[in-house]
């Protein structure tokens, strides 16, 4: 739909990053990822948060970066304009914010009738790469079993298999060592084609010392910088 993405991205074709965050304490790092990522040029970021993730996400810090008045109708208009441009029409793309936080409340909040845009579909059309950071044990189990009961899981279920998806697990040590976790990770790796990074061993939010922590947020940004040759 969009023009091919080059590395490094350009003003005319920025890289579209979707950061999906779930109900893990590691979601406290989401605002830090956003702030650091937006120090690089030609990056646009849409953050998609589950209801449980919002217990930990610093919404004020993200809202301070802009984009609060951007609606799903605006995103749909951008996607349609990009499709027309890709077909050779001489059309300017409408402006879009560098960052936008979406929640479950907005998934169907703007939908009134057939033909209205659906948030998880418009996000799928827009995304160049997806980071699921953090991915809780609950969301991992949902993904491995095909559930789509919130904006994050619906978006991931609707996502093209050609869209790179990086998953960063974060959970308590015994949750990570549970036999079902290994099975769920095998499904998302081998059947869904996701790349899985981490978890790492450190002192966890609950006080336990062990494996289960999300990869350091700076390392997540660094991987993206390397992947797309981002420039500050």
């Amino acid at each position: 739909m969009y023009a091919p993405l080059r590395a490094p991205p350009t003003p005319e074709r920025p890289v579209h990053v979707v950061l999906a965050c779930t109900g893990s304490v590691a979601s406290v790092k989401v605002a830090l990822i956003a702030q650091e990522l937006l120090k690089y040029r030609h990056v646009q970021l849409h953050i998609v948060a589950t209801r449980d993730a919002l217990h930990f996400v610093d919404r004020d810090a993200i809202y301070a970066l802009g984009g609060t008045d951007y609606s799903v109708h605006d995103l749909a208009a951008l996607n349609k304009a990009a499709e027309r441009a890709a077909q050779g029409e001489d059309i300017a793309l409408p402006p879009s914010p560098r960052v936008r936080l979406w929640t479950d409340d907005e998934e169907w909040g703007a939908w009134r009738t057939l033909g209205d845009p659906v948030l998880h579909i418009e996000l799928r059309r827009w995304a160049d790469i997806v980071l699921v950071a953090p991915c809780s044990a609950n969301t991992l189990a949902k993904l491995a079993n095909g559930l789509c009961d919130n904006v994050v899981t619906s978006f991931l279920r609707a996502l093209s298999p050609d869209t790179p998806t990086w998953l960063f697990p974060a959970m308590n040590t015994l949750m990570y060592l549970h036999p079902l976790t290994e099975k769920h990770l095998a499904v998302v790796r081998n059947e869904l084609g996701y790349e899985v990074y981490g978890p790492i061993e450190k002192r966890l939010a609950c006080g336990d010392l062990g494996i289960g922590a999300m990869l350091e947020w700076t390392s997540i940004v660094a991987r993206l910088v390397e992947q797309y040759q981002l420039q500050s």
Side-chain angles (χ1 to χ4, degrees), residues 87-224:
Q87 293 172 350
E89 188 172 341
D90 185 13
I91 182 173
L93 299 187
S96 58
R98 293 204 68 198
V99 63
R100 174 63 157 94
L101 172 63
W102 302 98
T103 68
D104 275 326
D105 290 339
E106 295 166 295
E107 169 73 307
W108 297 108
W111 194 92
R112 294 293 180 270
T113 187
L114 291 176
D116 281 354
V118 176
L119 177 58
H120 67 266
I121 299 299
E122 297 303 333
L123 286 169
R124 178 259 290 171
R125 291 170 173 156
W126 182 86
D128 289 318
I129 186 168
V130 178
L131 315 178
V132 188
C135 181
S136 66
N138 184 49
T139 295
L140 175 62
K142 289 181 180 183
L143 296 177
N145 288 282
L147 300 184
C148 38
D149 62 347
N150 58 44
V151 65
V152 167
T153 52
S154 294
F155 161 68
L156 289 166
R157 182 66 182 264
L159 196 63
S160 167
D162 296 328
T163 304
T165 303
W166 299 353
L167 189 143
F168 300 87
M171 61 196 74
N172 176 266
T173 299
L174 292 181
M175 296 174 78
Y176 179 70
L177 296 177
H178 192 284
L180 285 177
T181 302
E182 182 178 0
K183 294 179 180 179
H184 294 160
L185 287 172
V187 170
V188 299
R189 281 193 184 103
N190 302 329
E191 297 185 35
L192 302 184
Y194 296 175
E195 296 184 38
V196 179
Y197 299 101
I200 61 174
E201 183 174 335
K202 63 184 294 187
R203 182 73 63 183
L204 305 178
C206 63
D208 290 351
L209 177 63
I211 193 167
M214 185 176 75
L215 193 71
E216 295 293 349
W217 69 269
T218 51
S219 297
I220 295 173
V221 174
R223 284 183 179 275
L224 205 58

Side-chain angles (χ1 to χ4, degrees), residues 19-35 47-62 101 131-137 139 152 168-171 205 212-215 217 220:
L19 172 56
C21 54
T22 67
S24 163
V25 180
S27 282
V28 299
K29 306 296 185 180
V30 166
L32 296 173
I33 293 173
Q35 291 165 342
I47 302 168
V48 191
T50 64
R51 199 173 306 278
D52 287 342
L54 294 177
H55 289 294
F56 310 108
V57 171
D58 186 345
R59 281 176 274 184
D60 290 339
I62 295 171
L101 172 63
L131 315 178
V132 188
C135 181
S136 66
T139 295
V152 167
F168 300 87
M171 61 196 74
M214 185 176 75
L215 193 71
W217 69 269
I220 295 173

